[in-house]
């Protein structure tokens, strides 16, 4: 059953529009859609896996009821590997790694093992850095697990690949921020967009301290307006009718496609 606020027909139309945009306008060769499998939150598909270059990292979501979604993603991925787009016996252009249930993490002056959890919504790859939000759904053990996978698979692909934890802080709940990418997204090379009131501004301050001069920032008054996606040189963003005037001014300076 769906909550009364969910307009399922509209949601299906939006999903079809996004899929069509990714394939026809953004030039993606294959856009894979997954059945819901009875998981109400599976529409937030990015939480189940992180894909960066040749790395496919299957996550361990922070909400226990969502962990079976990862199994669904794994099954679909296995079918893709067996599809005609790959030559038989060819070396696959990616490595599949999975977040373990427990990971050693440096705590104060010693290493300790703690249950790992990580949502893809807390992982932002800018093309040079991999930021990981430490939130109610992602902990340092999950961040470390991704870091281990990155250094095993991406060292020869990226220049000094580094996974950088970004604590969301106490203000996140008050700002309605569940994941890092609810308040911080990448709008292009060296351009980050923040939203979510104090949380977004604090993230900007933290990144500027860690990576001085590496990024320019644009701040949207409305957190949902900062929800943008940069694909193959094309920026996808929310339609002007869905955001406030102040956020509209910020995003209009970037251009992009409204969906």
């Amino acid at each position: 059953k769906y909550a009364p606020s969910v307009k399922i027909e509209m949601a299906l139309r939006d999903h079809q529009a996004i899929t069509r945009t990714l394939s026809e306008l953004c030039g993606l060769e294959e856009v894979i859609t997954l059945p819901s499998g009875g998981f109400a939150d599976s529409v937030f598909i990015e939480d189940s896996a992180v894909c960066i270059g040749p790395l496919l990292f299957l996550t361990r979501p922070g909400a226990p009821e969502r962990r079976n979604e990862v199994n669904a993603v794994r099954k679909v991925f296995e079918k893709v590997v067996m599809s005609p787009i790959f030559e038989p016996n060819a070396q696959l252009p990616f490595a599949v790694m999975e977040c373990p249930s427990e990971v050693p993490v440096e705590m104060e002056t010693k290493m300790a093992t703690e249950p790992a959890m990580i949502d893809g919504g807390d992982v932002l790859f800018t093309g040079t850095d991999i930021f990981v939000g430490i939130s109610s759904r992602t902990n340092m053990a999950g961040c470390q697990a991704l870091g281990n996978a990155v250094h095993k698979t991406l060292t020869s692909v990226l220049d000094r690949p580094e996974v950088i934890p970004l604590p969301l802080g106490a203000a996140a709940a008050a700002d309605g921020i569940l994941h890092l990418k609810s308040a911080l997204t990448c709008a292009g090379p060296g351009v980050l967009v923040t939203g979510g009131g104090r949380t977004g501004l604090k993230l900007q301050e933290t990144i500027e301290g860690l990576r001085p001069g590496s990024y320019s920032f644009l701040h949207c008054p409305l957190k949902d307006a900062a929800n943008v996606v940069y694909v193959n040189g094309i920026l996808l963003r929310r339609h002007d009718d869905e955001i406030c005037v102040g956020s509209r001014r910020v995003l209009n300076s970037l251009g992009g496609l409204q969906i």
Side-chain angles (χ1 to χ4, degrees):
K1 295 182 178 180
Y2 296 94
S5 60
V6 176
K7 298 179 175 62
I8 186 62
E9 291 184 0
M10 181 182 294
L12 289 172
R13 287 197 301 270
D14 287 346
H15 184 271
Q16 292 169 356
I18 292 172
T19 301
R20 189 167 56 250
T21 298
L22 290 172
S23 61
E24 296 178 4
L25 300 179
C26 296
L28 298 186
E29 293 182 6
E30 185 164 346
V31 178
I32 302 167
T33 58
L34 294 96
S36 66
F39 301 108
D41 287 335
S42 60
V43 66
F44 305 106
I45 184 61
E46 69 174 353
D47 288 330
S48 303
V50 175
C51 301
I52 301 174
L55 170 64
L56 173 68
F57 180 78
L58 297 174
T59 66
R60 188 169 186 268
E65 64 272 16
R66 297 197 61 192
R67 289 176 188 162
N68 280 336
E69 293 176 34
V70 177
N71 294 327
V73 171
R74 182 190 294 106
K75 290 177 181 178
V76 171
F77 178 75
E78 289 170 352
K79 291 180 181 178
V80 172
V81 170
M82 297 173 64
S83 75
I85 64 173
F86 297 112
E87 294 293 332
N89 302 319
Q91 183 176 359
L92 297 178
F94 38 69
V96 184
M97 305 193 74
E98 189 166 356
C99 182
S101 59
E102 293 189 336
V103 178
V105 177
E106 186 172 350
M107 297 179 178
E108 296 179 351
T109 59
K110 63 180 181 179
M111 295 293 290
T113 298
E114 71 173 8
M117 59 183 194
I118 182 169
D119 277 14
D122 277 318
V123 182
L124 177 65
F125 177 49
T126 68
T128 52
D129 294 313
I130 303 169
F131 294 117
V132 178
I134 306 303
S135 68
S136 61
R137 299 296 177 90
T138 297
N139 61 9
M140 283 301 300
C143 179
Q144 182 65 52
L146 176 60
N148 293 342
V150 165
H151 284 283
K152 287 179 180 178
T153 59
L154 299 184
T155 301
S156 61
V157 179
L158 301 176
D159 180 23
R160 294 185 303 106
E162 186 173 359
V163 174
I164 303 171
L166 294 176
L168 295 191
D175 288 335
I177 302 299
L178 181 62
H179 292 112
L180 175 68
K181 284 188 284 193
S182 300
L184 179 74
T185 53
C186 184
V191 181
L192 299 180
V193 181
T194 64
R198 294 172 295 169
T199 302
L201 294 173
K202 181 62 177 177
L203 286 169
Q204 175 178 340
E205 180 183 328
T206 301
I207 293 171
E208 287 177 331
L210 294 171
R211 290 286 186 266
S214 297
Y215 298 99
S216 59
F217 288 84
L218 294 171
H219 184 73
C220 291
L222 182 70
K223 71 177 178 67
D224 291 344
N227 197 345
V228 304
V229 179
Y230 185 74
V231 184
N232 283 350
I234 297 174
L235 179 68
L236 306 179
R237 65 180 183 86
R238 299 189 71 147
H239 196 278
D240 280 350
D241 293 342
E242 299 178 311
I243 59 179
C244 65
V245 174
S247 297
R248 197 179 305 161
R249 292 195 190 101
V250 172
L251 294 180
N252 282 343
S253 68
L254 295 173
L257 296 175
Q258 299 180 34
I259 59 174

